[in-house]
Amino acid sequence: MIPLFRRLIGGLRAVFHRERVEQELDEELRGFLQTAADDKVRAGLTESAAMRAARIELGSVEAVKEHVRDVGWESVLEQLWRDVQYASRTLRRSRGFTAVAVISLALAIGFNTTLFTIVSGMGSTPPVDQSDQVVSLTSLDSAGRTVGVSYPDFQDWRHLSQSFEGLAAHSVMAVNLTDRDLAADRVAGAYISATTFSLLREHPILGRDFRPDDDRPGAEPVVIIAASVWKGRYGGDPGIIGRVITANGRRVTVVGVMRDGFRFPLVHDLWLPLAVAPGLERQARDARGLRVFGRLATGVRLAQAWAELDTIMAGLSKTYPTTNANVRPRVEPLTRGFDLRNPWNAALIAVGIVLLIACANVANLLLARAVRRAPEIAIRTSLGATRRRLVQQLVIESLLLAAMAGVAGLGAAALGVRIWLASMPAASWPYWYHFAINTRVLSYLSGISLGSVLFLGVGPAWSLSGSFPEADLSHTGRGRSAGPRARRWSTVLLSAELALTLSLLAGAGLLARTLLAVYRADSIVDTDPVILAGLDLPPQQYATPAQRIALYSQLEERVSTIPSVQATALASGAPFYSAAVWSVILPGQAGATPASQTSSYVLIGPRYFDTLGLRLLRGRVFTDLDGTPGHETVIVNELFASKYLAGTNPLGQRIRLADPTKPDPKPPWLTIVGVSPTVREHYAQEFDPVVYVPYRLNPLANMVLMTRASADAAALAPALREQFRQLDPDLPLLDIQPLNWLLSGTRFANQVFATLFGIAAALGLLLAAVGLYAVVTYDVGQRTREIGIRLALGAHPRQVVWLLGRRVLTPLAWGLTIGLGGAWGVGRLVRGMLIRTSPDDPLTLVSISLVLTVVALIAALRPARRSTRLDPVTALRYE
Amino acid sequence: MLILKTLALEPMHGYGIGLRLEQISQGVFRVNAGSLFPAFRRLERDGLIKGEWRATENHRRAKYYALTAQGRATLRRETRQWEVQTAAIARILKMSTSES
């Protein structure tokens, strides 16, 4: 302890009384010299000869001092400070270099940080107390697909399992709020087990939680609402607890209000007990539609709970072989169920590549600079600088660069996150997503900034400080050209940059082609005059298919009498967005079909195709007769015909369709009467076969009214509402909006990823071009005299351009070769996001290779061309 | 250790120490100033020696280094260790020569 303390004091003394300590050292050394010289005089030398001999014996006084200073710890700090000062001076002196290096690094760092903020925002776990104890439970059906849980299975799990503190199930629905004194409104709601909130460790801010009593058929109907509904719809009514509201046509009593920002399970604002969900008690054991989560009991691990459920399910499949054979449970952490991050990982890789390119670029610039600075280093070495000291100096310079880039990158990231938030439809995110630059993001930013220092600083520094001072001193500066080692490194770096850029271009190209394909395919639908309105029938009032068919046909009839309306039709969903997917059984096929033999299933009214401005390719459209008994007909799209009925005339052929969630042993035969063009029915997904079915065959309670009109949505809405009110005053029309809005929404994901990859590729291309430009410019600077001689001797300018420009060919060749391999990899990475585009699309690969080649040649030849305009005389004197 | 030994007799200044080392070792050790002075600084920091400005025999000012109590202890300890080690090495050498 004592020696350590003494060392500390000594060091502090050296720092604070620096001058005195230095002076003493000086004096001591001078004394040493004098005494040595005196000795030599005594031995018979002259005064001056003695002094000289003593000096030679001592060597460099400065070097000795440096060694002495190195003994204490304080010298490290002092050196560091001096190196920082020195580095900032050098960086300030070469402003162009500093600006290019900092800007390219800052762009890459900012882009990376933005994406990291987004991805970590989406990867965040729901804000649940001890969320690692909360698991989501699903079933794996006999085909190995992950499905939900049926109500009878859930009840059995709940009663038989011991591993859980509790289990809770929920299903979501839209809730129409139709209070007498307020305008009708719709909110997203959920039927939940009474235990849900307590398992999530959430409590109402007003009123009470559900009790087990509430979650029982025939219980007094109660509801819990979100603070946003309480404040927004009911004006923060202080007497909200106990108030009776009308939800989906039923009068229910508000018993609780949940805190702001809590929207379990995703974006839901109103909760009813699970037991009041319509038809729940009669639900079949194989209607697996509930989502279930549970909290593990203290000390129970996930695997144990899973094993226990496995045993329970094995028992159930013996008891109920028709519904439960080969159905197994699945238990995983709650967050896994909401993982949307896969395409984002691809995007993260893309921005990571941008960072690599930026680093390679700056490393290249540093390398060029290092070669130019060799004389300076040589002088410092001969004045007694140690190798460690030199490397330290250079690393500090890189650190300083990275620090500046990090700060600038933080600014860029803040901007990037803001742009992201501005372009996002916020309501569509689960309630716990937050995109903010927090400590995690900041540590990521510091991490990549420091990482880039290691990447770019240490290599050149090491190669540089290994050079010999004698050799470097004798060539003073300009005449020297980069040594073969530096040149090789620079070629390697350029090749890497170009290869990485090509991979990014591949991603951008493929995603852009996907976007183009989607736009082109969508353009066959005349979307401009089409207006959508949602319809959600309360099951109690319209319980039978006949009631619903009657309402729907009256509605279609009434709406078509509005003067501005040209055509109208109901459908189970608007195109482009989403549709049910059913299994297809083709003519001649017995019961079992391959799991992949599926088709989108869209219910439509007779004038559906008129409304969308589409003409059938073959056959006829539906009439009011289609879908009635004896007229079981369907229309398939072209893709369906070519995929499943290739080489035959589809008209008149008979197929069967089966709903995979509700197995029907004997689905009816359906006759194909028409073939429609291929219209996209899903978003961000490959085109699939579609079967259009008359709604009279299967009148669902959730439909969309599509209307083709010469008026816009705002003008049409009152007329629509009026027609609707005359049919049933309690039914609201929901989300009246132009089809175009929905359409652009469905392209959003494609656009986001195409844009992200596009920005990444553009940045990569820019950086690579800057890198090439800088290297050739530097070359020109180094070889000015040579160029002058060549020009003076009569070389053709073109020859000179070639001489300099060919420097770029090796990296370009390597970059293209390796980059095509990278493009292959990126193709695999983005495969899931591609629509109507092959991951090895030859057109894309050829065109991006061309783009890269052209940009590289321009970047390289411009400075080369400029060199030929040199006046030979000036060039020769250039020194 | 050698520096400590030279200082065991009397306080000395830098040049004197170098000279004495050379004399005692009969020219085997010629210690460069570049190693000597950092060693002084290190020993001083560790508290084994103590520097003091004094006038020399020919009336110059010089920094004289003297052994501290701790320095003396270290010297004794290290000398003993050295003797043990050299004895051991000598034994090993003798053994291997007798074998060959």
Side-chain angles (χ1 to χ4, degrees), chain A residues 226-283:
Chain A
S228 60
V229 176
W230 172 46
K231 288 176 196 155
R233 183 173 171 82
Y234 299 107
D237 176 11
I240 188 74
I241 303 301
R243 180 164 169 172
V244 176
I245 64 174
T246 311
N248 281 351
R250 284 172 53 135
R251 295 172 58 74
V252 293
T253 310
V254 177
V255 295
V257 175
M258 297 305 288
R259 68 175 169 85
D260 246 335
F262 176 75
R263 310 182 73 190
F264 179 85
L266 295 171
V267 287
H268 300 83
D269 292 326
L270 185 145
W271 301 275
L272 294 161
L274 185 65
V276 307
L280 192 73
E281 285 300 309
R282 280 169 279 126
Q283 216 174 51

Side-chain angles (χ1 to χ4, degrees), chain A residues 2-3 6-7 9-11 13-14 21-25 27-29 31-32 34-40 42 57-59 64 67-69 71-74, chain B residues 13-16 18-19 22 30-48 53 56-58 60-65 68 70:
Chain A
I2 300 289
R6 198 175 295 123
R7 247 174 260 171
I9 296 290
R13 189 175 152 253
V21 171
E22 280 290 298
Q23 226 177 345
E24 282 185 11
L25 183 60
E27 204 174 345
E28 198 178 350
L29 280 170
F32 182 90
Q34 281 293 347
T35 324
D38 286 353
D39 250 14
K40 298 216 162 36
R42 234 173 282 137
E57 239 167 58
L58 182 60
V64 172
H67 282 306
V68 174
R69 286 190 207 111
V71 169
W73 58 267
E74 77 284 355
Chain B
H13 55 72
Y15 182 73
L19 214 59
E22 205 176 322
R30 292 199 59 163
V31 187
N32 190 317
S35 328
L36 208 52
F37 282 89
F40 291 161
R41 175 69 70 98
R42 201 172 302 122
L43 291 171
E44 197 177 6
R45 279 286 165 83
D46 290 346
L48 303 183
W53 289 95
T56 63
E57 52 269 34
N58 27 11
R60 284 205 174 85
R61 253 168 65 81
K63 196 171 182 182
Y64 274 75
Y65 291 101
T68 62
Q70 202 189 342

